[in-house]
Amino acid sequence: MTVREVGLTVPGDPPLAGTLTLPDRPGPVPAVLLAPGSGPLDRDSDHRRARFGVTRELAHALAEGGLASLRHDKRGVGGTPGDWRRAGLYDHVDDLVRARDALAARPEVDGGRVVLAGHSEGALLAAAAAARGVPAAGVVLLAGSATPGDELLRWQARQIAPTLPAPVRALLRLFGTDLERKVAANHERIRATTTDVARIGGVRVNARWHREFLAHDPRTDLARLTVPVLAVTGSKDLQVRPDDLDAIAATVPGPVETLLVPDLTHTLRRQPGPASLRAYRGELRRPVDPEVLATVVGWCRRVSGVPSVP
């Protein structure tokens, strides 16, 4: 495996910094473009407070399977300049399209066999890019949603509230705070904003991204996908509806494979016992679930035509 830090020569702004990972086989080879989840995550899917490592581990697994990959830093994160709070959802789609073009142009890569893959928000971005008609051998949706953004965030509040620590739940009851209602009220405040960044409840938030996310219906993009699609979600995901796998299968007109992984959470690790966000810290000390990695690598190899023996 060869790992190269690259500055992507792509039209538009800002310039993107990323990592190209190549397998130990002669090129040009098929490749996978990897997109991380929401917030200020870097090319490896790491946040300064939580190292998810999803795209990094996927890149290494893909290289072992004979596939190249590219992952890049978001705006204002890592080596990519800018302010992540000022970037909208569709800015991230634009950047993914630019990164795809740069990856396809690399001499080490077979530009006609590039798969788009994303985790969480990255799944939305991959679907949106492919729905624009960007050439793709396939699309991988890891913890991808088929639910409109405003509805999904209210669903998250309903799932997360019972998993909060007992003292927090007691305070919410004491003050008569309905978490879902509070989330909905914040959505209305965000919809009323007009700037890229705004203060909501005293906190600076990426308001434009939230406005675009709240209005975004992933089913519009899913309905335009004619290339093969793989969708993988965990049964204990508290941030994406596990039954959205059925909606994805029913909405995508092209070939679709879905996998619901028992006990898997949004971090793509397994969690024993009741689903809880509080277990994330411990989960992140472990690698991404081997079944998820093997499923993605095997599927990408098939749709990109990699022989059975690298």
Side-chain angles (χ1 to χ4, degrees), residues 142-305:
L142 297 172
S145 171
T147 300
D150 57 352
E151 182 182 338
L152 178 64
L153 293 180
R154 292 196 303 271
W155 178 88
Q156 288 179 3
R158 291 197 298 273
Q159 308 311 304
I160 291 169
T163 77
L164 295 173
V168 175
R169 297 199 307 272
L171 281 174
L172 291 175
R173 288 194 300 270
L174 178 64
F175 290 102
T177 302
D178 182 309
L179 189 59
E180 183 180 356
R181 188 177 300 172
K182 185 175 179 61
V183 166
N186 282 338
H187 291 173
E188 293 309 311
R189 294 187 185 99
I190 289 171
R191 286 190 179 98
T193 64
T194 57
T195 55
D196 291 345
V197 183
R199 286 194 177 275
I200 303 296
V203 178
R204 292 178 70 241
V205 301
N206 45 342
R208 181 157 68 98
W209 183 93
H210 275 89
R211 290 194 302 270
E212 292 175 352
F213 180 80
L214 289 170
H216 183 71
D217 188 341
R219 294 170 297 189
T220 302
D221 292 329
L222 294 170
R224 295 174 179 155
L225 301 185
T226 56
V227 298
V229 171
L230 170 67
V232 179
T233 300
S235 68
K236 291 184 179 175
D237 199 315
L238 295 175
Q239 289 158 269
V240 170
R241 289 173 162 169
D243 57 9
D244 269 6
L245 287 175
D246 294 333
I248 291 170
T251 306
V252 173
V256 186
E257 294 181 36
T258 64
L259 176 64
L260 180 66
V261 182
D263 294 330
L264 195 77
T265 73
H266 199 69
T267 72
L268 302 185
R269 279 87 167 173
R270 303 213 192 202
Q271 184 184 112
S276 172
L277 293 182
R278 287 179 289 168
Y280 277 16
R281 181 168 301 208
E283 289 174 28
L284 295 181
R285 298 191 186 103
R286 306 194 305 271
V288 170
D289 186 74
E291 181 183 354
V292 173
L293 295 177
T295 298
V296 172
V297 172
W299 188 88
C300 289
R301 285 169 56 88
R302 290 196 303 275
V303 299
S304 59

Side-chain angles (χ1 to χ4, degrees), residues 13-200:
D13 190 63
L16 303 174
T19 298
L20 178 70
T21 305
L22 300 168
D24 292 327
R25 57 178 295 179
V29 296
V32 181
L33 180 61
L34 299 168
S38 60
L41 299 187
D42 65 15
R43 68 190 74 178
D44 294 334
S45 303
D46 288 343
H47 184 280
R48 61 189 179 87
R49 294 180 179 174
R51 297 174 62 84
F52 292 90
V54 169
T55 44
R56 178 182 61 250
E57 293 195 40
L58 278 168
H60 294 174
L62 288 162
E64 292 297 321
L67 296 155
S69 68
L70 176 68
R71 58 197 195 272
H72 67 274
D73 292 328
K74 287 184 169 184
R75 300 184 184 202
V77 181
T80 296
D83 180 349
W84 70 270
R85 289 187 181 87
R86 296 189 179 280
L89 178 69
Y90 301 116
D91 287 331
H92 295 321
V93 179
D94 293 341
D95 290 347
L96 194 69
V97 172
R98 294 193 298 137
R100 184 265 163 208
D101 291 343
L103 175 61
R106 300 281 309 192
E108 309 94 333
V109 168
D110 181 342
R113 294 190 288 170
V114 174
V115 174
L116 307 180
H119 171 238
S120 191
E121 181 201 11
L124 298 180
L125 306 182
R132 291 183 182 182
V134 171
V139 176
V140 177
L141 309 174
L142 297 172
S145 171
T147 300
D150 57 352
E151 182 182 338
L152 178 64
L153 293 180
R154 292 196 303 271
W155 178 88
Q156 288 179 3
R158 291 197 298 273
Q159 308 311 304
I160 291 169
T163 77
L164 295 173
V168 175
R169 297 199 307 272
L171 281 174
L172 291 175
R173 288 194 300 270
L174 178 64
F175 290 102
T177 302
D178 182 309
L179 189 59
E180 183 180 356
R181 188 177 300 172
K182 185 175 179 61
V183 166
N186 282 338
H187 291 173
E188 293 309 311
R189 294 187 185 99
I190 289 171
R191 286 190 179 98
T193 64
T194 57
T195 55
D196 291 345
V197 183
R199 286 194 177 275
I200 303 296

